Amino acid sequence: MALIVQKFGGTSVGGPERVRHVAQIITDTYRQGNDVVVVLSAQGKTTDQLLALAKEYNPKASKRELDQLLSTGEQQSVALAAMCIQGMGFPVVSLNAWQVGFKTNTTYGDARISKIETERIRMELDQHKIVIFTGFQGINRRDDITTLGRGGSDASAVALAAALRADLCQIYTDVDGVYTADPNKVEGARKLDEITYDEMLELATLGAKVLHNCSVEMAKRYNVRLEVLSSFTGNPGTKVKEVVKKMENSHVSGVAKDKDIARLALVGLKNEPGVAFRIFSLLSNRKINVDIILQSIGRDDQKDISFTVSRSDLEQAKALLEERKDTLNYESLEVNDHVAKVSIVGAGMIGSPGVAAKMFEALYDAGININMISTSEIKVSVLVDEMDADRAVQTIHDKFFRDFNRRR
């Protein structure tokens, strides 16, 4: 007998028929002799509908009150699923954050998990019940409801799996695993049987939508066995773990794309110590995350610094830099929000010369210009014009995976 945590996203529980199908997956797992803890998202587009409703009453509603409202989506979802499972004749209980003791910090709208009290869940499991828990939400030290932000239900599931020392955490989505690229947009994308935590974390950070990066980071930290699979097909999924078998003749596990990005360039900075510190500490103090950074070689006592931020942070970053122009002492600020980041990720890149060159060759053959480059041990990212992004992903994917697909 194993303890299995299962998470189902909003699409998987989007209506009565889908809830009944999910209930069948859950009860099949239970019938196999396993203890089962289930984390559910709100049904379908419920969260978006609640946000729209809030705007009708107050477009400037506080984040605290928004959390109060948004949390009702998951509470509705778990109660309906529990009713369905009850009707099938299985013992089940639905619980929300305050009933479990799912503690977070006090940041409304984007809270971080601080502690999970497992006593109530273990008591219900000891009574051989299926436990269904509200994802995406917690409770802070003031006993206020908080929500966990984007990817919150994934984070809830992984955190529960870690706290309960679960044998497996299954993340059910509308795709049947992790692919070498988005299978809906890239011809020849193939499903991976397994992928390392580090590779999955990079792909999630770089734009892959299958898992949120905070959940992967948590899984790695607490060595939670993850599996990504579809609630629709019943096919085997992708295992996410520490070490995997080497991929056939490829040092790359996936290609990702991120269009939610903008580039800023400070031109004509003084070529002196402390310039970079003044720029990036200013942005850091306003919680603006910076990604790719490129500094030119100093000439004539001047240099340029270019960097990328998410598009949601662009206006604030631009305003800050313009306000401090005299202090930072630059000649001009250039902004481009028509760019995209395309990346390759693979643990096999470590100690394998020529991987980056192969990527650059693919872009050269396609006539795609590279604006910026960033590398790490298992990643190479390039900044390209937004209009070239989809073509860049396809041509890079063809370069690394075409031979394998032909052999199949």
Side-chain angles (χ1 to χ4, degrees):
M1 184 175 69
L3 171 56
I4 299 176
V5 175
Q6 297 178 324
K7 179 264 177 178
F8 296 89
T11 306
S12 297
V13 292
E17 286 304 315
R18 289 184 178 177
V19 171
R20 280 190 275 271
H21 178 66
V22 163
Q24 191 65 56
I25 295 173
I26 295 167
T27 53
D28 284 349
T29 306
Y30 179 81
R31 272 198 296 255
Q32 292 167 11
N34 301 301
D35 287 333
V36 185
V37 177
V38 181
V39 175
L40 296 185
S41 299
Q43 291 185 294
K45 297 187 179 297
T46 299
T47 301
D48 291 337
Q49 292 166 354
L50 290 171
L51 283 169
L53 182 63
K55 286 183 179 178
E56 290 183 21
Y57 286 82
N58 180 3
K60 298 181 180 179
S62 69
K63 289 184 178 181
R64 181 194 182 277
E65 299 309 325
L66 283 173
D67 280 1
Q68 286 279 96
L69 177 65
L70 296 181
S71 65
T72 63
E74 279 71 26
Q75 292 185 47
Q76 182 184 76
S77 186
V78 298
L80 291 171
M83 292 174 192
C84 185
I85 291 172
Q86 278 181 340
M88 296 167 68
F90 291 87
V92 62
V93 61
S94 66
L95 300 172
N96 60 27
W98 68 263
Q99 290 171 311
V100 166
F102 197 98
K103 303 296 181 66
T104 73
N105 63 13
T106 56
T107 305
Y108 299 106
D110 193 22
R112 292 293 174 263
I113 302 164
S114 58
K115 181 182 178 182
I116 301 175
E117 297 171 358
T118 60
E119 289 82 0
R120 176 67 186 273
I121 293 178
R122 291 199 180 279
M123 181 188 75
E124 302 292 354
L125 291 174
D126 287 344
Q127 295 176 26
H128 307 292
K129 293 180 183 178
I130 297 167
V131 177
I132 307 185
F133 177 71
T134 51
F136 182 62
Q137 65 181 252
I139 187 168
N140 67 22
R141 57 183 172 81
R142 303 187 185 106
D143 290 336
D144 286 345
I145 293 173
T146 57
T147 63
L148 305 182
R150 183 171 169 249
S153 292
D154 284 355
S156 300
V158 174
L160 274 174
L164 293 167
R165 301 182 185 277
D167 297 285
L168 178 64
C169 180
Q170 296 178 313
I171 306 293
Y172 282 88
T173 71
D174 52 1
V175 296
D176 56 358
V178 181
Y179 279 73
T180 52
D182 185 342
N184 297 314
K185 297 182 179 179
V186 178
E187 184 180 350
R190 56 166 292 206
K191 183 167 71 71
L192 301 170
D193 294 329
E194 47 189 28
I195 189 171
T196 68
Y197 292 123
D198 287 336
E199 290 171 317
M200 189 67 248
L201 181 57
E202 288 284 8
L203 286 172
T205 303
L206 294 167
K209 306 298 183 185
V210 180
L211 284 174
H212 195 261
N213 56 350
C214 66
S215 62
V216 182
E217 187 176 19
M218 195 182 308
K220 179 184 178 182
R221 185 185 312 150
Y222 296 105
N223 198 28
V224 174
R225 288 180 57 213
L226 277 181
E227 184 179 13
V228 182
L229 61 172
S230 172
S231 59
F232 300 100
T233 66
N235 295 331
T238 300
K239 294 179 173 61
V240 185
K241 55 187 185 178
E242 188 66 39
V243 179
V244 303
K245 297 175 184 176
K246 188 176 180 182
M247 195 171 183
E248 303 93 333
N249 297 325
S250 178
H251 302 300
V252 173
S253 295
V255 186
K257 172 188 66 183
D258 185 4
K259 290 186 176 181
D260 181 26
I261 197 167
R263 181 179 68 88
L264 297 100
L266 293 168
V267 179
L269 289 159
K270 287 284 187 181
N271 187 22
E272 61 186 18
V275 172
F277 167 72
R278 290 196 295 272
I279 294 168
F280 297 114
S281 62
L282 174 67
L283 297 170
S284 175
N285 290 338
R286 298 297 182 91
K287 309 298 183 185
I288 297 174
N289 189 49
V290 175
D291 187 18
I292 302 175
I293 301 173
L294 177 65
Q295 178 175 296
S296 67
I297 297 173
R299 289 190 178 90
D300 299 325
D301 296 325
Q302 287 189 331
K303 61 185 176 184
D304 306 332
I305 294 181
S306 302
F307 57 92
T308 60
V309 298
S310 67
R311 288 186 184 174
S312 60
D313 288 331
L314 175 59
E315 291 305 317
Q316 186 184 10
K318 180 183 174 184
L320 275 173
L321 295 170
E322 289 176 339
E323 286 172 11
R324 302 294 181 88
K325 182 175 181 180
D326 292 340
T327 305
L328 297 174
N329 198 15
Y330 62 87
E331 291 182 355
S332 62
L333 173 63
E334 297 178 0
V335 175
N336 185 352
D337 60 355
H338 296 290
V339 294
K341 180 170 61 177
V342 177
S343 309
I344 56 173
V345 172
M349 292 165 58
I350 301 173
S352 300
V355 177
K358 191 173 182 179
M359 178 187 189
F360 302 154
E361 181 185 23
L363 295 171
Y364 167 72
D365 290 342
I368 297 172
N369 189 47
I370 299 172
N371 297 319
M372 296 174 71
I373 300 170
S374 173
T375 65
S376 72
E377 286 186 329
I378 66 168
K379 172 197 76 176
V380 180
S381 295
V382 296
L383 209 64
V384 300
D385 292 342
E386 184 180 16
M387 64 180 182
D388 292 328
D390 292 341
R391 193 160 56 94
V393 172
Q394 184 68 65
T395 194
I396 292 169
H397 190 275
D398 287 347
K399 192 73 169 178
F400 284 97
F401 297 103
R402 181 171 45 206
D403 291 342
F404 174 81
N405 288 326
R406 282 175 176 171
R407 287 199 304 275
R408 297 179 75 191

